[in-house]
Amino acid sequence: MSAEREKKILEILLKEKKCTVKELAKTLYISQPSVRRDLQSLEQQHLIKRVHGGAMLEESALSKNKIPFLIREYEQSSAKALIARKAAELIRDGDVVFLDASTSCYYMIPYFAAKKGITVVTSGVKALSKLAEYDVRTVSTGGALINSCLALVGEEAYATLESFNADVAFFSCRGISDDGYLTDISPEENNVRKKMIRHAKRSYLLCATEKFGKSYFHNLCHKDELDGIITEE
């Protein structure tokens, strides 16, 4: 329960940058002492900085453009499992598949065991390990590592993606704005996704419905540029 509350506090701070204990207690329908305990835990994880009467995002964490991967894994896990199953149905035997470093794509991997002759090219370090468990032919994009989300980015990653002609690309983002733009807080990861879209015949966004109507500072593309959006509904 505390992990779920901590995730919600991080989401609020991503949007608002700074909040008071009173505001968080009112928004989350919990007591102020509970908020303070959650803030203490988040501060110990170096994710936030407590200030007088409230908290703000830790600048060092924000400069990495990330909520750590482990925090992402708290988010909509049941929805992601359903989305992953739907997405995997779009993969044909023999396909070359692009996967980004999102947890949404990570959830797809167990379904790959039933596919024959596929090759997965991924920028996700955690995905590389899981793909090995399922004995899937895998190529790492290489590149610079964003430690907090285990994503590979940069020129080496771009070069690898440009050398492949993928059949299908799957990726996620932080939110979809009301006017249909896919948005995120990581320009570096978005640039990797742009290469995946450009070098794949088909591209699909994996997106829980709770992300609709949310906008962050960096645009990836417009939804009309994709072949589809896969949600849990």
Side-chain angles (χ1 to χ4, degrees):
M1 189 65 174
S2 61
E4 180 65 21
R5 290 200 311 266
E6 288 175 15
K7 187 267 292 186
K8 290 179 179 177
I9 289 171
L10 284 172
E11 288 183 336
I12 292 169
L13 288 174
L14 269 172
K15 297 284 284 185
E16 306 298 334
K17 307 305 180 190
K18 184 177 180 180
C19 278
T20 67
V21 170
K22 185 177 180 180
E23 288 168 341
L24 289 168
K26 183 178 180 180
T27 300
L28 298 174
Y29 302 102
I30 59 175
S31 68
Q32 292 188 29
S34 292
V35 170
R36 292 190 183 96
R37 285 193 294 271
D38 291 338
L39 294 179
Q40 182 179 11
S41 173
L42 289 169
E43 186 174 52
Q44 289 171 349
Q45 297 174 63
H46 307 291
L47 297 172
I48 67 162
K49 181 179 181 180
R50 285 191 292 175
V51 296
H52 181 68
M56 60 189 296
L57 280 180
E58 173 58 54
E59 286 299 320
S60 63
L62 187 60
S63 68
K64 295 172 184 175
N65 301 306
K66 277 294 127 281
I67 297 173
F69 195 95
L70 64 92
I71 299 297
R72 288 183 177 184
E73 289 187 318
Y74 295 153
E75 298 179 349
Q76 297 289 315
S77 58
S78 60
K80 288 181 179 181
L82 180 56
I83 291 167
R85 181 177 59 78
K86 289 182 178 181
E89 292 173 358
L90 298 170
I91 298 175
R92 305 162 184 143
D93 291 347
D95 274 354
V96 175
V97 181
F98 285 157
L99 292 184
D100 77 351
S102 65
T103 53
S104 297
C105 285
Y106 180 81
Y107 273 79
M108 292 180 65
I109 295 171
Y111 298 102
F112 293 172
K115 308 294 179 180
K116 297 178 181 178
I118 68 170
T119 299
V120 176
V121 183
T122 184
S123 59
V125 172
K126 199 168 182 181
L128 290 169
S129 177
K130 180 62 73 173
L131 286 159
E133 290 180 25
Y134 286 90
D135 197 27
V136 177
R137 184 171 185 266
T138 304
V139 177
S140 168
T141 62
L145 177 66
I146 301 179
N147 295 333
S148 53
C149 63
L150 301 179
L152 297 167
V153 299
E155 294 298 328
E156 290 183 13
Y158 305 156
T160 299
L161 293 167
E162 288 172 352
S163 69
F164 282 86
N165 297 310
D167 296 286
V168 60
F170 298 99
F171 53 91
S172 189
C173 67
R174 295 299 304 178
I176 304 180
S177 65
D178 289 332
D179 55 353
Y181 283 93
L182 283 58
T183 67
D184 205 281
I185 58 173
S186 175
E188 294 88 351
E189 283 190 273
N190 267 354
N191 289 335
V192 167
R193 292 165 184 146
K194 286 178 182 178
K195 293 290 184 182
M196 290 181 172
I197 294 169
R198 188 172 304 159
H199 293 275
K201 295 175 184 175
R202 297 173 289 134
S203 298
Y204 294 95
L205 172 70
L206 311 186
C207 187
T209 52
E210 57 95 19
K211 293 183 179 181
F212 283 83
K214 295 185 179 180
S215 181
Y216 298 87
F217 75 88
H218 195 267
N219 288 330
L220 169 58
C221 64
H222 193 271
K223 64 180 179 61
D224 291 344
E225 299 174 48
L226 308 176
D227 291 274
I229 298 174
I230 304 170
T231 76
E232 75 276 22
E233 294 184 358

